[in-house]
Amino acid sequence: MVKNKIRKTLFEKGRSLSIEYKTKTNRLIQLSVIKEINLKSKNTVLLYSPFRNEISLDLVTSELKKYSKNLYLPKVIDTKTIKFNQIEDSSLVIKNTYGIAEVVNDKYLDPLLFDVMFIPFIGVDSQGCRLGYGSGYFDRALGSFKTINKKPLVVGLGYDFQIRDEEFGEAHDLMYDIVISEKRVIYYD
């Protein structure tokens, strides 16, 4: 399958990045987010716990906390389902079976109620279709976004090499509104 080949190539390239490059680039991308997106106006925000070579969100999170925002993280419920848990100061955070940090509580939010959702990726095609790890968690959880007009702003952060010129997305794939890399900001229709 084409997607699996692209996923493997991008994953291997990400593993070869130096720590220095990742640190510098993560900072640049997050500063672009802070400049490009009016975080002050976003009350409910989905973040993610960086996994493998995903862009960190420490600067973005610090900026959001200045405005006392409601912040959430994805939580794997079972082999097909994720929900979105609220992060509180007293929240217990543990690693799930994939090694990704999750909040332990039952304070979930419906995806349609978010103002902005930061969702990680392995790759993005020329139309803004997300390529993830292949489990389909986000595609299933956010599948209704394709049929509604008012939805959260969906933002992807990644390295420029992860943004592909070809189309590989399928009808069920999550679409980004904005993708930000160290070299560019892309808005999708």
Side-chain angles (χ1 to χ4, degrees):
M1 182 176 190
V2 171
K3 285 171 115 178
N4 285 336
K5 185 176 179 182
I6 294 169
R7 186 180 287 116
K8 182 179 178 187
T9 300
L10 294 175
F11 185 70
E12 287 174 7
K13 187 162 186 174
R15 286 183 27 189
S16 70
L17 298 174
S18 72
I19 292 171
E20 294 80 19
Y21 182 80
K22 287 192 274 191
T23 301
K24 178 183 170 190
T25 303
N26 272 256
R27 180 173 168 71
L28 283 172
I29 292 169
Q30 289 185 82
L31 291 174
S32 289
V33 169
I34 293 166
K35 179 182 170 193
E36 199 68 32
I37 300 171
N38 180 5
L39 297 177
K40 290 179 187 177
S41 69
K42 309 302 182 196
N43 292 315
T44 54
V45 180
L46 178 68
L47 301 169
Y48 59 85
S49 297
F51 179 63
R52 297 185 177 155
N53 294 305
E54 294 170 350
I55 303 302
S56 64
L57 291 171
D58 55 321
L59 297 177
V60 171
T61 303
S62 293
E63 187 70 16
L64 287 164
K65 284 183 177 180
K66 290 178 185 178
Y67 315 113
S68 300
K69 301 299 178 181
N70 295 310
L71 305 177
Y72 294 77
L73 285 175
K75 180 179 181 178
V76 174
I77 303 301
D78 58 40
T79 59
K80 300 230 182 254
T81 310
I82 58 170
K83 291 187 177 182
F84 308 104
N85 284 61
Q86 186 171 19
I87 305 168
E88 299 174 315
D89 289 338
S90 62
S91 292
L92 175 63
V93 178
I94 62 167
K95 291 195 176 192
N96 66 19
T97 56
Y98 300 107
I100 302 170
E102 295 178 333
V103 175
V104 178
N105 68 36
D106 292 330
K107 295 182 179 184
Y108 302 117
L109 186 67
D110 183 301
L112 292 173
L113 298 177
F114 284 102
D115 293 316
V116 64
M117 302 178 92
F118 291 95
I119 299 178
F121 60 81
I122 299 285
V124 177
D125 79 0
S126 61
Q127 302 301 304
C129 289
R130 176 183 182 269
L131 177 67
Y133 287 98
S135 298
Y137 283 108
F138 284 105
D139 296 329
R140 282 187 296 278
L142 309 178
S144 66
F145 283 10
K146 292 188 186 243
T147 61
I148 58 171
N149 291 331
K150 184 167 174 19
K151 66 175 188 66
L153 180 68
V154 179
V155 180
L157 309 179
Y159 301 102
D160 207 63
F161 73 84
Q162 294 174 287
I163 303 170
R164 307 293 292 209
D165 291 332
E166 73 263 34
E167 277 186 55
F168 52 73
E170 298 173 276
H172 64 269
D173 288 335
L174 177 68
M175 303 274 300
Y176 286 106
D177 297 306
I178 303 172
V179 170
I180 301 175
S181 76
E182 72 274 25
K183 295 183 179 178
R184 54 189 163 159
V185 176
I186 303 170
Y187 289 87
Y188 298 97
D189 295 329

